[in-house]
Amino acid sequence: MDRVESSTAGVQVKEQSPGLLSQDAVQKLIQQAQAAKQQAYCPYSRFRVGAALLTLDNRVITGCNVENACYNLGVCAERNAIAKAVSEGCRSFKAIAIASDLQEQFISPCGGCRQFIREFGSDWDVYLSKPDGSYLKMSVDELLPVSFGPEELSMKKVLDIPNEY
Ligand code: THU
């Protein structure tokens, strides 16, 4: 897990490992999540969330939360972005940045979104941000440890299940 302060609070320059996003690329992704947040449709919660998903082939696909008068039908920003990406043929991702209006807290993805993100691998990065651009970087595996994923469905099972199941 990496925590980086905003430029206004003094940038903490981190060592660059190969394959990781540059500070610039991260800030840009966060800005795209913040821009997506502007489109949030959240008349009920008034809690805006934006997400920006970076695909393996360097496309950025964004999403915002979309609520509904039938409250339980609302869609989170992260899930919206992932569904958009998959419907456009992208299933491999490098990172997702999440933005909200919470000043004091890094926006943390809900449990359902963690599982949705995990569907596409445990070894990619989630940037939880604040409006000032500071962020916390966590891997999918850190956000959802000991997770259940598509691999489990193809593992060895007990097959003598009684008929009533
Ligand atoms: N929300 C998201 O879009 N992503 C999250 O990870 C947390 C919650 C949205 C759902 C709802 O529209 C609003 O925030 C309040 O819960």
Side-chain angles (χ1 to χ4, degrees), residues 95-115:
I96 185 168
I98 313 169
S100 82
D101 296 312
L102 290 176
Q103 298 281 346
E104 313 286 337
Q105 239 174 289
F106 299 105
I107 176 67
S108 182
C110 76
C113 284
R114 291 175 196 214
Q115 181 67 33

Side-chain angles (χ1 to χ4, degrees), residues 132-146:
D132 68 3
S134 58
Y135 64 85
L136 190 63
K137 176 181 130 183
M138 294 183 74
S139 68
V140 175
D141 195 50
E142 283 174 316
L143 280 167
L144 193 67
V146 203

Side-chain angles (χ1 to χ4, degrees), residues 41-42 45 47-49 64-67 75-78 98 107-110 113:
Y41 175 74
C42 52
S45 71
F47 190 89
R48 301 186 304 171
V49 185
C64 63
N65 53 332
V66 181
E67 298 183 346
V75 181
C76 290
E78 301 90 318
I98 313 169
I107 176 67
S108 182
C110 76
C113 284

Side-chain angles (χ1 to χ4, degrees), residues 29 51-55 59-62 78 81-82 85 93 95-97 124:
L29 198 64
L53 192 55
L54 180 64
T55 68
R59 292 176 60 189
V60 173
I61 294 167
T62 61
E78 301 90 318
I82 290 175
F93 308 114
I96 185 168
W124 52 295

Side-chain angles (χ1 to χ4, degrees), residues 21-158:
L21 297 187
S22 66
Q23 282 294 320
D24 259 16
V26 174
Q27 293 300 348
K28 213 170 148 197
L29 198 64
I30 290 171
Q31 280 163 15
Q32 286 165 292
Q34 289 171 341
K37 183 186 74 177
Q38 310 284 340
Q39 305 301 331
Y41 175 74
C42 52
Y44 309 107
S45 71
R46 313 215 39 95
F47 190 89
R48 301 186 304 171
V49 185
L53 192 55
L54 180 64
T55 68
L56 206 57
D57 56 356
N58 295 316
R59 292 176 60 189
V60 173
I61 294 167
T62 61
C64 63
N65 53 332
V66 181
E67 298 183 346
N68 193 276
C70 180
Y71 294 167
N72 59 335
L73 293 182
V75 181
C76 290
E78 301 90 318
R79 263 182 268 185
N80 195 2
I82 290 175
K84 277 175 69 182
V86 171
S87 65
E88 289 176 23
C90 305
R91 297 180 185 178
S92 301
F93 308 114
K94 288 184 184 172
I96 185 168
I98 313 169
S100 82
D101 296 312
L102 290 176
Q103 298 281 346
E104 313 286 337
Q105 239 174 289
F106 299 105
I107 176 67
S108 182
C110 76
C113 284
R114 291 175 196 214
Q115 181 67 33
F116 215 81
I117 290 168
R118 188 263 171 266
E119 181 71 16
F120 300 96
S122 308
D123 187 24
W124 52 295
D125 294 326
V126 184
Y127 292 90
L128 321 182
S129 75
K130 287 184 192 169
D132 68 3
S134 58
Y135 64 85
L136 190 63
K137 176 181 130 183
M138 294 183 74
S139 68
V140 175
D141 195 50
E142 283 174 316
L143 280 167
L144 193 67
V146 203
S147 63
F148 181 84
E151 303 80 12
E152 267 68 38
L153 293 177
S154 54
M155 280 182 179
K156 193 166 181 285
K157 298 180 209 62
V158 176

Side-chain angles (χ1 to χ4, degrees), residues 15-21:
E15 222 171 273
Q16 188 71 50
S17 311
L20 287 185
L21 297 187

